Amino acid sequence: MKMNKHILIVTSLLAATALQAQEIKVKDKIVEKSDSALIIGVTFDFGEVKVPSDRSLVCTPVVVSGDSIRPLTPVILNGRDRHILYDRTGRTYSTHGEYELRRNNGEEQFFEYTTRTPMAPWMKKSEVALVTDLCGCGWEALQNDRSPLFPINLSDPVVLRPLLAYRTPEAEAVKARSIEGKAFLDFPVNKITIYPDYRNNPRELAAIRATIESVKDDPYATITEVWIKGFASPEGSYANNTYLAENRAKALRDYVKSLYRFEHATFSVDFEPEDWEGLEKRLEEMNLPDKAELLAIIRDQEPRDLDKKEQKLKVLNGGNSYRILLRDVYPALRHSDYVVKYNIRNFTAEEARSLIYTDPKQLSLNEMFMVAQSYEAGSEKYNEVFEIAVRMFPDDPVSNLNAANTAIQRGQLEQAERYLQKAAEGDEKQLARASILMLRGDLDGAEKILNTLQNSPVTGKSAQANLEQIKAKREE
């Protein structure tokens, strides 16, 4: 008897080894979460499995994550004799929660398996494995063999939302502003008196008045200075042009003073006898046969006497080009530039919130920032304020930095990069650059920058939070 028992055990182990070596394949995997249940579907391919007539192979899918394991509905694959015995037991899926199949060795055999089990948090990131139990007499497993089948990942996808750092603009002690213009007044030859109805003067003087009155009528503005600079063309002697440029500018000043009384404003006059710089710019835009030679004369340091320089222009190639200058260029060189300087009073937060949409030019960058802080960070109005700020202060480094941040939050990365070109240097700008790399999927590049910002008093917390997001993204 001992000998027979030993032979029986060896035979069972050999059969187990043979079954263990056979491959159970799977395809058409489905993993879904429905309410509080996990649903798993898979097609088992038993085509390569051979089960002796008097044996059973119990295949139990399990969900595994670390030390946690959840067995699912088993599949019992019976040989012919075992299948007959199983039928006699009266066991069914509804009574015992198990599937049973008769294995027809040597034939293709597929089984569409589906099951559901209560969902547990640890199952969101886990795997499905298969435990195979080779059974002899009775239904107790003699050997277990767990093989991984496929992973489960039902975790919510990591959506990168980089944290950014805005910079508070410095408050202006005095909100000094200015508006400027250029007037082309017509004077009779060698005259310095303004004739309001002469040629184009009604239009030019109306433009000057409109500029001044746009500030004068502003309830928040106080005019502090009206600055006028007169220019003459190179035509004629330098001495005479000096006289004309200075006194025509003074004539315009006196005209303005006669119209307005500004309690705290000063009137300043400057002049430039001959606008050679303007002449050079106009020539650069023209297409004249003698253009290169004319420009060479203008740019030459010699002669220093401007009357002699102008004489060289007159006689160049018979004076044909000079006549064009007299007709088409010189009139525009006789102009008066003017600047109206003024201060704007400071505003409360409530006043600034109203003006940001109706008259934003009244606000300082700091006041606009104050308005933004009154809205929820990242909200539509919050972002809109920073966009208004960069429109009003298009070259300011701080307005461009903050506008870049709002563009990043909206996913407008190319626009953010354009703003960053003008943005203030510092840790906030580096954080913005790292955030752009994060959103473009360059996690290594972003991580490299963020590592340098972790200890920054300005960006440290945001950098660390962004590094945590990168870590989670890599692990999903």
Side-chain angles (χ1 to χ4, degrees):
M1 290 294 297
K2 289 182 179 180
M3 186 66 171
N4 291 337
K5 184 178 181 181
H6 177 73
I7 291 172
L8 177 62
I9 293 174
V10 170
T11 302
S12 298
L13 290 176
L14 288 174
T17 302
L19 281 170
Q20 186 179 6
Q22 299 172 86
E23 183 178 4
I24 299 174
K25 299 178 181 179
V26 296
K27 63 179 183 177
D28 303 329
K29 302 178 288 288
I30 297 175
V31 179
E32 294 179 351
K33 181 178 178 297
S34 177
D35 296 328
S36 59
L38 177 67
I39 299 173
I40 295 175
V42 66
T43 299
F44 284 110
D45 179 358
F46 295 122
E48 296 185 9
V49 177
K50 292 183 179 180
V51 180
S53 177
D54 60 345
R55 300 288 177 184
S56 296
L57 181 65
V58 180
C59 305
T60 306
V62 293
V63 182
V64 184
S65 179
D67 295 332
S68 300
I69 185 168
R70 173 78 59 79
L72 305 176
T73 305
V75 179
I76 301 173
L77 203 59
N78 283 321
R80 185 182 66 85
D81 293 345
R82 294 288 288 183
H83 173 68
I84 295 171
L85 289 174
Y86 186 90
D87 276 347
R88 291 174 181 172
T89 64
R91 300 168 71 98
T92 65
Y93 173 81
S94 59
T95 60
H96 288 78
E98 60 191 22
Y99 295 109
E100 189 270 340
L101 301 173
R102 174 186 169 178
R103 175 66 187 122
N104 298 313
N105 293 331
E107 296 180 8
E108 285 188 348
Q109 192 168 6
F110 298 96
F111 178 66
E112 294 184 1
Y113 174 92
T114 183
T115 188
R116 61 190 298 140
T117 187
M119 186 74 191
W122 60 266
M123 294 180 181
K124 288 184 176 181
K125 292 196 72 171
S126 57
E127 72 170 6
V128 176
L130 187 64
V131 175
T132 54
D133 298 339
L134 177 65
C135 295
C137 297
W139 303 104
E140 295 184 3
L142 298 178
Q143 178 173 326
N144 291 340
D145 177 22
R146 192 170 77 195
S147 303
L149 295 181
F150 52 88
I152 294 176
N153 188 353
L154 295 176
S155 298
D156 296 331
V158 176
V159 179
L160 295 174
R161 293 186 177 89
L163 300 187
L164 298 152
Y166 288 75
R167 184 178 292 188
T168 304
E170 293 183 10
E172 296 179 70
V174 177
K175 289 160 60 180
R177 301 288 186 268
S178 65
I179 185 170
E180 58 188 54
K182 191 184 296 285
F184 298 93
L185 295 173
D186 289 317
F187 293 86
V189 177
N190 288 327
K191 299 295 183 179
I192 59 172
T193 302
I194 293 177
Y195 296 96
D197 297 325
Y198 183 65
R199 300 181 67 177
N200 293 318
N201 287 351
R203 181 188 64 200
E204 297 298 316
L205 292 173
I208 295 173
R209 293 194 302 271
T211 301
I212 295 174
E213 289 168 10
S214 69
V215 181
K216 181 181 76 69
D217 296 338
D218 187 333
Y220 307 116
T222 301
I223 293 178
T224 58
E225 182 182 359
V226 177
W227 177 88
I228 297 170
K229 184 175 182 179
F231 294 82
S233 68
E235 181 186 9
S237 71
Y238 188 83
N240 187 57
N241 288 334
T242 300
Y243 170 80
L244 294 175
E246 179 181 8
N247 288 284
R248 286 174 176 175
K250 288 180 178 179
L252 180 56
R253 175 201 62 189
D254 294 340
Y255 171 82
V256 173
K257 290 180 70 173
S258 71
L259 296 176
Y260 307 104
R261 295 290 183 268
F262 301 127
E263 184 177 353
H264 303 291
T266 60
F267 290 82
S268 305
V269 169
D270 195 3
F271 60 93
E272 189 165 330
E274 297 178 352
D275 189 2
W276 287 88
E277 182 179 344
L279 175 58
E280 182 180 356
K281 288 181 178 178
R282 292 294 297 273
L283 267 175
E284 287 174 343
E285 299 168 357
M286 298 179 70
N287 185 20
L288 294 178
D290 303 328
K291 176 178 177 177
E293 294 170 274
L294 290 167
L295 287 172
I297 293 172
I298 293 170
R299 292 167 178 167
D300 196 347
Q301 297 298 315
E302 298 295 336
R304 294 184 180 277
D305 186 322
L306 294 180
D307 287 341
K308 292 181 180 179
K309 187 184 287 284
E310 207 231 341
Q311 184 62 29
K312 293 181 71 173
L313 295 177
K314 285 182 178 181
V315 301
L316 178 67
N317 297 332
N320 290 330
S321 293
Y322 185 76
R323 284 188 284 273
I324 296 174
L325 296 182
L326 284 176
R327 184 190 69 208
D328 298 338
V329 178
Y330 277 17
L333 302 180
R334 304 172 195 131
H335 57 94
S336 297
D337 294 353
Y338 56 92
V339 178
V340 181
K341 300 180 181 179
Y342 59 99
N343 295 338
I344 301 177
R345 74 169 177 85
N346 295 323
F347 298 101
T348 65
E350 193 61 32
E351 288 174 322
R353 283 184 68 159
S354 174
L355 288 168
I356 192 73
Y357 297 109
T358 59
D359 199 3
K361 70 177 184 298
Q362 304 285 4
L363 302 179
S364 69
L365 197 55
N366 181 269
E367 288 168 332
M368 291 183 179
F369 189 86
M370 179 174 63
V371 173
Q373 298 310 300
S374 70
Y375 298 117
E376 181 183 354
S379 67
E380 184 177 349
K381 285 187 175 293
Y382 180 88
N383 292 336
E384 189 176 26
V385 170
F386 287 114
E387 291 178 354
I388 293 172
V390 81
R391 287 201 300 270
M392 301 306 299
F393 299 89
D395 297 316
D396 185 87
V398 175
S399 71
N400 277 276
L401 171 67
N402 292 339
N405 285 343
T406 61
I408 290 170
Q409 289 181 327
R410 289 181 167 183
Q412 299 166 341
L413 304 186
E414 292 183 2
Q415 185 175 359
E417 287 178 323
R418 289 194 293 272
Y419 287 138
L420 283 179
Q421 291 176 0
K422 295 182 179 180
E425 294 295 336
D427 291 346
E428 299 99 328
K429 184 174 182 177
Q430 291 301 105
L431 183 65
R433 284 176 171 161
S435 300
I436 291 174
L437 293 175
M438 284 176 65
L439 295 176
R440 284 184 169 156
D442 185 0
L443 302 186
D444 291 340
E447 187 176 48
K448 185 177 180 180
I449 296 175
L450 293 171
N451 283 333
T452 68
L453 302 175
Q454 289 191 81
N455 298 321
S456 166
V458 178
T459 61
K461 290 183 179 180
S462 295
Q464 292 169 13
N466 293 347
L467 285 169
E468 288 298 319
Q469 291 189 50
I470 289 175
K471 180 181 178 182
K473 188 68 176 176
R474 285 176 169 152
E475 291 176 351
E476 72 172 354

